[in-house]
Amino acid sequence: MGKATGERMAVATALVRSSFLVNAVYAGAAREYGLTPQQGQLLCVLMLRPIGMGELGSMLGLAKSSLTGLVDRTARRGLVRREPDPEDARAVRVALTEAGAALADDFYTETCRRVEDLPSGFSAADRDALVELLARVVDENHVPEVFMDEP
């Protein structure tokens, strides 16, 4: 089933295994900040601006009931709040509270540091190539902006 160390992996294997690695690092950082990985994603997405529930559901890939539960749990912790949507009186947006913004900033910074360390043994050229190739995969597959370079 597995390959010996040093043998070349298939693209699918490399991407899936790297996904597991990044998810584990992300989840570990979230735990240390008292968050679930989903709450961490929510906070990071909201760093740039308040977002409507429909758009949030699409970005996070969550059904309406799952998103409502996530927002409710995160709001009870005082990290997000619902506010009226200025463009649609029937809709609400979710925004970070002051405490949520501070936690999001700390969590984001630490998570970036940990993920940046993953290819620490790479040369600058290899890191640049990795970024270029992964950015193409992300762009070509229209991945939502759930984690950005500069929030």
Side-chain angles (χ1 to χ4, degrees), residues 76-92:
R76 279 194 296 273
R77 293 194 51 200
L79 302 175
V80 299
R81 69 177 179 279
R82 288 178 173 87
E83 60 185 32
D85 186 325
E87 296 176 16
D88 183 349
R90 300 165 298 160
V92 296

Side-chain angles (χ1 to χ4, degrees), residues 44-52 55 59 83 93-96:
C44 288
V45 166
L46 295 173
M47 289 177 77
L48 293 178
R49 63 182 172 83
I51 301 175
E55 185 180 354
M59 291 176 83
E83 60 185 32
R93 299 184 312 181
V94 180
L96 292 173

Side-chain angles (χ1 to χ4, degrees), residues 114-146:
R114 291 178 187 200
V115 173
E116 285 279 337
D117 282 349
L118 292 175
S120 63
F122 286 20
S123 68
D126 283 347
R127 287 174 72 91
D128 290 346
L130 177 65
V131 169
E132 175 74 24
L133 292 170
L134 289 174
R136 282 179 51 198
V137 170
V138 166
D139 289 343
E140 290 172 9
N141 289 280
H142 310 288
V143 176
E145 293 183 358
V146 295

Side-chain angles (χ1 to χ4, degrees), residues 31-88:
R31 257 190 319 277
E32 289 183 26
Y33 282 86
L35 300 168
T36 65
Q38 294 78 19
Q39 287 173 326
Q41 286 179 338
L42 177 63
L43 296 183
C44 288
V45 166
L46 295 173
M47 289 177 77
L48 293 178
R49 63 182 172 83
I51 301 175
M53 292 290 280
E55 185 180 354
L56 264 179
S58 295
M59 291 176 83
L60 297 174
L62 295 174
K64 186 177 180 181
S65 62
S66 297
L67 178 62
T68 298
L70 173 62
V71 171
D72 287 347
R73 289 186 300 278
T74 311
R76 279 194 296 273
R77 293 194 51 200
L79 302 175
V80 299
R81 69 177 179 279
R82 288 178 173 87
E83 60 185 32
D85 186 325
E87 296 176 16
D88 183 349

Side-chain angles (χ1 to χ4, degrees), residues 9-22 133-134 137:
M9 284 185 209
V11 170
T13 301
L15 286 173
V16 170
R17 290 179 71 180
S18 63
S19 172
F20 274 85
L21 176 62
V22 170
L133 292 170
L134 289 174
V137 170

